[in-house]
Each structure stands twice: as C-alpha cells, then as structure tokens.
Amino acid sequence: MKAVALTHYLPIDDPQSLLDVELPAPVATGHDLLVRVEAISVNPVDTKVRSPKPQVEAQPRVLGYDAAGTVEAVGEHVTRFKVGDRVYYAGDITRPGSNSELHLVDERIVGAAPASLSAAQAAALPLTAITAWELLFQRMPFDSETGGQGKSLLILAGAGGVGSIAIQIAKRAGFTVIATASREESIDWSKQMGADHVIDHRQPLAPQLKALGFEHVDAALNLADTDRYWDALGELLAPQGHVGLIVEPSGALKIGDPYKAKCIGIHWEMMFARPRFRTPDMIEQGRILDRVAQLIDAGELKGTHSATIGAINAANLRETHRRLESGSTIGKLVLAGW
C-alpha cells in the first residue's frame, strides 16, 4: 500500500522530512477495522511528533491521526461496523498513523461519518471535535445540551481547529461565547462559527471584555498558549470558574492565588488519553463522533474544513505541515485521494 512516512525527524523544509513509501497492507483482528483511507487532515500534534530530534526510526514511521474512509475488513470481535461503512476517526498516537491507503483502528474510537459531508469534509472533524467535546462537557462540569445557559465562555484561538468546534458546541449548550482572533479573516471565521463577540488576543483582554460588559467570565478555554495567558485568565475568571487547557506549559505554573483564592477549576484535555491507556470508557470517543455526525447532518453544527491542499502524498503533506507551523491557518487543512 502507499503511505507517507519518516525515518528521520527533520525540519519540514527538508525534502526527507516526509517520504512516499510502499508498505505491506495490515490485517484486521480483534476490535480493529481495516479502513481504506480516502482523506486525512493535519493537526498541531502531527507537526509536534514530526519536529526535529536526534531519534532515527529503523522502519518507516507513518504519522497522521484524522481520517475518513470506508471499512475494508473487520476483526473477529467487531460489532459496531461492517464492511462498506463510511467512518471517520482521530486514531491512536501509540499506533501507526492514518497517512496510508489502508489503516487499522479500534472500532471503539470510530464514528459513522456524517452522511451530508464528503470524505474531505469529514476528515477535518474528529480530533478537534473530540478534543472540544471532551474538554467542555466531560473534563469541565457542563452539560452538552443546556450547561451554558446564563454563562459566559472565553475561547482563546477561536479560528483554530479546536476553537472552530468549541464555539459551535458551546453556543448550542447556551453559552455566551467570546472568541479571540487578531486577523480580519480569523475574526470573520470565528463569527461564522457563531461567536457572539470577538476580541483581539494580541491586546490586553480585560479592557476589551469590560467594554463588552464582562467584568469576569464563567469559564475559559485556552487553546493557544498556556503560559502567556495564565495570569490574565486567573484575574478574568469568576470565583468558582473553570479553565480548560490543551497546550502543555513550558515550565511550572503558579497554581496559587488567584486560582486558589477563587477555587478555579483547572481541567486538562488530551484527546489520546483514552486510546493510549485503553481506558474502560474508550467507546466514549466513538459515541462523541456519532453524536457530532448527527448534529452535522441535522444542520446544528457546521463542518470546519477550510481547504483541500491536494492528494495524499509526501509533497502535499509537507506543504500542509509547513502551513500549520506558520501559525496562521484557519479551520482545518485536508488532503484527499491518492
């Protein structure tokens, strides 16, 4: 089968950083689905895993997490899917990735793809949708249907992949959503996703919030830079508020006041935790993806696909990594077809 892989961890401008390779096709056993991959999308985790380091792989390593495709074969214990089903998923960081024509994935972290979306549009969703949903509705104490009623939520980096979904599911749950963005196109995108207000994260946040009538916010999602906004969020969050984090800090965080004084809840999200540790509730990720697909097909959520770069090959994947590393992408970038 065709795949895109690496053996050395190199800067993305190096043509050897990602390579076109031919690998043996895997075989589905147990709870695994063998999926014929039709589209993939790229996330910051892809670039972090690929980033330069001295390590050398003895065999080509395939990266990639988000994928959409069709079930080609099933393991003997599979009960949720059958051959021919259209699926989408975010994968497992401990296993070979989705940048291959055929890919094995545990059925419990897979969802039925939205019927109303193409494979490219579906591939844009899984990792960011699971991250936003788990963080807001499972790590933080908010109900997915009505948990935001009467509450305000600040989302740092509203136009990114996770922010694009978080705005939508938070609005649907009743939150007043204030997103941050700094460029005209990212401001427009955040508004299209449903943000009630958009402020500039390059400027002090408190005066902008105060101008909108918010002395404090009930909750915040820091999807951008944990260190940079830590002190500011401590001041902005209301007593007994909540902050959700997805980016590891560069060093130790000051967890004392005002976080302690206000009893602010601090919630970490790592989308790969359930599959990595094979938690008893892994199937929650399949259920989240099924629910997101239902909401997409019902018109209650929008897809976040912003561009298809081209076919799945090393050159296009290097270009997609390069764009993502620039820090200026909006929504999700996708590759489709082989």
Side-chain angles (χ1 to χ4, degrees):
M1 66 175 181
K2 294 178 182 178
V4 180
L6 61 78
T7 55
H8 294 70
Y9 296 84
L10 301 167
I12 200 58
D13 291 334
D14 191 314
Q16 299 297 306
S17 59
L18 292 168
L19 302 167
D20 292 308
V21 298
E22 289 278 342
L23 297 175
V27 176
T29 59
H31 283 283
D32 278 349
L33 308 176
L34 180 66
V35 176
R36 182 164 293 279
V37 174
E38 297 164 15
I40 61 171
S41 70
V42 179
N43 296 279
V45 65
D46 297 67
T47 66
K48 289 176 183 176
V49 173
R50 193 225 75 247
S51 63
K53 56 183 75 73
Q55 181 181 348
V56 176
E57 300 292 342
Q59 299 296 325
R61 180 182 180 185
V62 179
L63 305 182
Y65 307 102
D66 274 334
T70 303
V71 177
E72 186 99 345
V74 300
E76 64 274 16
H77 298 314
V78 168
T79 59
R80 300 184 68 232
F81 298 97
K82 64 182 185 305
V83 172
D85 285 347
R86 292 182 66 246
V87 295
Y88 74 144
Y89 55 89
D92 179 345
I93 200 167
T94 67
R95 303 184 68 180
S98 60
N99 298 340
S100 58
E101 283 187 292
L102 296 168
H103 185 226
L104 291 178
V105 61
D106 191 301
E107 64 165 339
R108 290 167 287 193
I109 59 171
V110 174
S116 58
L117 299 186
S118 67
Q121 293 167 325
L125 285 166
L127 188 147
T128 54
I130 292 171
T131 298
W133 194 284
E134 284 187 341
L135 181 54
L136 196 55
F137 301 139
Q138 296 186 344
R139 312 303 178 213
M140 299 170 82
F142 302 116
D143 176 74
S144 63
E145 297 299 311
T146 60
Q149 291 182 359
K151 297 182 176 69
S152 55
L153 174 69
L154 175 64
I155 300 178
L156 296 174
V162 178
S164 299
I165 288 289
I167 289 171
Q168 295 185 68
I169 62 175
K171 276 293 296 177
R172 186 178 175 278
F175 283 97
T176 296
V177 176
I178 308 112
T180 75
S182 59
R183 294 174 293 127
E184 185 176 345
E185 56 266 40
S186 56
I187 292 169
D188 289 344
W189 177 272
S190 298
K191 290 177 179 177
Q192 289 174 37
M193 293 299 106
D196 295 290
H197 309 282
V198 182
I199 62 176
D200 187 348
H201 48 243
R202 294 180 181 174
Q203 304 300 324
L205 301 176
Q208 297 180 80
L209 287 169
K210 189 170 291 187
L212 294 172
F214 296 94
E215 290 290 334
H216 296 96
V217 291
D218 298 298
L221 303 183
N222 185 348
L223 310 177
D225 187 329
T226 299
D227 299 277
R228 179 179 176 184
Y229 298 104
W230 183 253
D231 290 340
L233 289 179
E235 297 297 334
L236 288 172
L237 282 160
Q240 301 185 92
H242 296 271
V243 61
L245 306 168
I246 66 170
V247 180
E248 60 272 22
S250 60
L253 294 172
K254 180 187 174 186
I255 309 292
D257 291 345
Y259 284 87
K260 180 182 177 183
K262 292 183 179 180
C263 288
I264 292 170
I266 302 166
H267 309 268
W268 283 103
E269 164 61 11
M270 177 58 172
M271 192 229 70
F272 293 119
R274 280 171 161 147
R276 177 184 177 184
F277 297 104
R278 305 194 67 79
T279 60
D281 65 348
M282 289 175 61
I283 199 169
E284 270 301 303
Q285 294 201 338
R287 291 172 179 155
I288 290 169
L289 290 175
D290 284 343
R291 181 61 177 145
V292 168
Q294 291 167 2
L295 294 173
I296 289 280
D297 289 338
E300 295 188 46
L301 296 180
K302 299 177 183 178
T304 57
H305 165 263
S306 58
T308 299
I309 304 304
I312 306 169
N313 59 45
N316 286 337
L317 202 49
R318 287 195 300 270
E319 171 61 14
T320 308
H321 276 235
R322 187 194 65 76
R323 292 192 194 185
L324 203 62
E325 287 181 345
S326 76
S328 60
T329 56
I330 295 172
K332 292 300 297 296
L333 303 179
V334 173
L335 302 179
W338 290 89

